[in-house]
Amino acid sequence: MKIQAIELRRIGVPLVRPFRTSFGTQTDRDVLLVTVMTDAGTGIGECVALADPVYSSEYVAAAQVVITDHLAPRLFALDDVSGRGVQPALGGVIGHRMAKAAVEAAVLDAELRAYGVSLARYLGAVRDRVECGVSVGIAATLDALLEEVGGYLEQGYRRIKLKIEPGWDWEPVHAVREAFGDDLLLQVDANTAYDAASAPRLRRLDEFNLLLIEQPFVEEDIAGHAALAATMSTPICLDESVVSAAVAADAINRGACSIVNIKAGRVGGYIEAVRIHDVCAALGAPVWCGGMLETGVGRAANLALAALPNFKLPGDTSASDRYFAEDITEPFVLEDGCLPVPQGPGIGVDVRRDLVERLTTGVVLLRP
Ligand code: NPG
């Protein structure tokens, strides 16, 4: 396959409600859509970088520059490119995994559409629907939190993840357990907001029988997570720390985590995400699929990934209406707490061109 052009399109999509985490509040998504045009057809990928470098060092404007100046020229130089060849071809560029993942996803989509094969089948999916959880932001009050959680449970979500930070941890978890009972699948996500000094506070969460606590400490602190894990009964799950299969294996072997959140964007693409899935399976660590408030384009690909066998816990793959009034693909609708895994060629969904045009804030066409 030869790449003839790459379109970089920015769209602005309002969220149905503000999403507050320990690192800030998201009110809308500034999404970079990457479309590759090849001699075999086109493919699309979504870049998960946020507008600001608050989740990781990457941010959407920088991803656009990196693709324009460093990734696209390397791909244009290839006479024959495949999805599996993208990561090796971009190896000379350090980091920028979210930018690389978006390009890889677009190339994979083009390749698989040309073959008539679904991404799910290509990655090794073993199920046609996946169990869904929902991630609940930090609320203004405990009452507001309980109302939001109750609404999601009524819709059928199978597990709840609460965002926590110092000052919003024991109380909200206690309130949700009291209101909804001990059988609710419940977990928490700190997004690196704690340090070793706050370990006693985190240990108090052991009384709630949580599925896991996600990323309490900064991403580089593998040793700190190992020390914490040794003193808590709640399993530690890593997100931000795990940027590759090698880091996943190292973190598990050092006892820093026993569960891994996989986000293809964070790790440089779906091929590396499958490697992480495989190494975690080999080491006996279950995984689940994280989310970055993706539109239907990224969500479709995440559902394909989440259908692999070692995705043993419900993920943050929620329905379209949890995020957007109007999704840019056909909406993903919750059915009995699950979403269907798209079965069509490539990512298996198409974008609504009229809506994407309306939401567009900028578009650039790159050529060799
Ligand atoms: O449902 O896609 C989703 C969001 C899940 O909580 C979620 N993501 O750190 O994992 C995270 C978090 C997040 C991502 C928060 C992006 C804010 C922006």
Side-chain angles (χ1 to χ4, degrees):
M1 220 164 61
K2 176 85 184 149
I3 299 183
Q4 295 161 333
I6 300 178
E7 183 195 87
L8 301 181
R9 183 181 290 267
R10 294 270 284 280
I11 60 171
V13 201
L15 293 173
V16 289
R17 62 165 74 181
F19 186 50
R20 186 175 153 211
T21 67
S22 59
F23 58 76
T25 302
Q26 312 291 317
T27 53
D28 55 38
R29 276 303 261 133
D30 180 351
V31 178
L32 172 63
L33 295 173
V34 178
T35 301
V36 296
M37 290 111 179
T38 79
D39 54 358
T42 68
I44 189 164
E46 174 170 349
C47 182
V48 301
L50 301 179
D52 300 303
V54 288
Y55 165 86
S56 73
S57 61
E58 290 191 78
Y59 61 102
V60 66
Q64 181 163 350
V65 172
V66 166
I67 294 171
T68 304
D69 292 351
H70 301 285
L71 307 187
R74 283 170 165 80
L75 296 176
F76 287 141
L78 301 176
D79 285 329
D80 189 19
V81 66
S82 66
R84 211 161 272 282
V86 169
Q87 202 183 6
L90 304 179
V93 177
I94 308 299
H96 298 286
R97 291 181 175 87
M98 292 176 179
K100 291 174 177 174
V103 173
E104 187 205 75
V107 174
L108 270 173
D109 185 42
E111 180 184 2
L112 296 175
R113 281 179 196 265
Y115 294 153
V117 172
S118 70
L119 180 65
R121 178 151 179 227
Y122 176 83
L123 296 179
V126 294
R127 38 182 108 89
D128 56 15
R129 50 183 226 152
V130 302
E131 289 192 303
C132 298
V134 61
S135 176
V136 183
I138 294 167
T141 63
L142 289 175
D143 282 344
L145 177 74
L146 295 179
E147 191 184 322
E148 189 177 347
V149 170
Y152 290 137
L153 292 176
E154 247 165 56
Q155 291 169 40
Y157 285 104
R158 298 212 180 174
R159 77 80 171 113
I160 297 290
K161 159 168 141 179
L162 301 182
K163 291 290 188 178
I164 59 168
E165 65 182 3
W168 181 265
D169 40 34
W170 191 91
E171 288 77 9
V173 177
H174 178 252
V176 168
R177 269 283 179 247
E178 288 253 291
F180 303 106
D182 293 336
D183 291 341
L184 171 65
L185 298 183
L186 184 63
Q187 64 192 55
V188 295
D189 182 4
N191 286 112
T192 78
Y194 293 81
D195 57 23
S198 47
R201 178 118 193 127
L202 291 171
R203 277 193 283 273
R204 289 190 63 203
L205 296 174
D206 273 346
E207 71 184 87
F208 298 118
N209 193 27
L210 300 174
L211 286 171
L212 57 92
I213 172 167
E214 188 179 352
Q215 197 72 44
F217 301 154
V218 292
E219 61 190 72
E220 296 85 357
D221 193 8
I222 300 295
H225 285 104
L228 180 69
T231 63
M232 286 189 76
S233 59
T234 308
I236 306 293
C237 169
L238 291 179
D239 171 10
E240 285 90 332
S241 294
V242 177
V243 295
S244 67
V247 172
D250 183 50
I252 295 164
N253 285 329
R254 290 163 68 183
C257 68
S258 53
I259 300 174
V260 173
N261 165 334
I262 301 187
K263 292 175 181 162
R266 193 192 68 226
V267 306
Y270 285 88
I271 306 289
E272 187 69 15
V274 172
R275 283 192 202 109
I276 297 179
H277 164 273
D278 294 349
V279 82
C280 289
L283 294 172
V287 304
W288 55 279
C289 187
M292 293 291 289
L293 311 170
E294 287 92 343
T295 70
V297 170
R299 190 160 314 282
N302 285 346
L303 289 167
L305 179 68
L308 269 65
N310 194 38
F311 281 83
K312 297 233 168 88
L313 297 165
D316 285 343
T317 48
S318 309
S320 295
D321 67 359
R322 181 255 174 266
Y323 310 95
F324 313 111
E326 278 188 299
D327 207 334
I328 63 166
T329 61
E330 54 263 46
F332 284 96
V333 179
L334 205 65
E335 262 177 56
D336 191 23
C338 295
L339 286 183
V341 178
Q343 302 295 330
I347 59 171
V349 293
D350 294 305
V351 297
R352 298 169 53 191
R353 293 201 179 283
D354 52 329
L355 178 60
V356 167
E357 282 293 342
R358 252 193 292 138
L359 298 173
T360 294
T361 55
V363 55
V364 181
L365 191 66
L366 310 177
R367 286 193 181 279

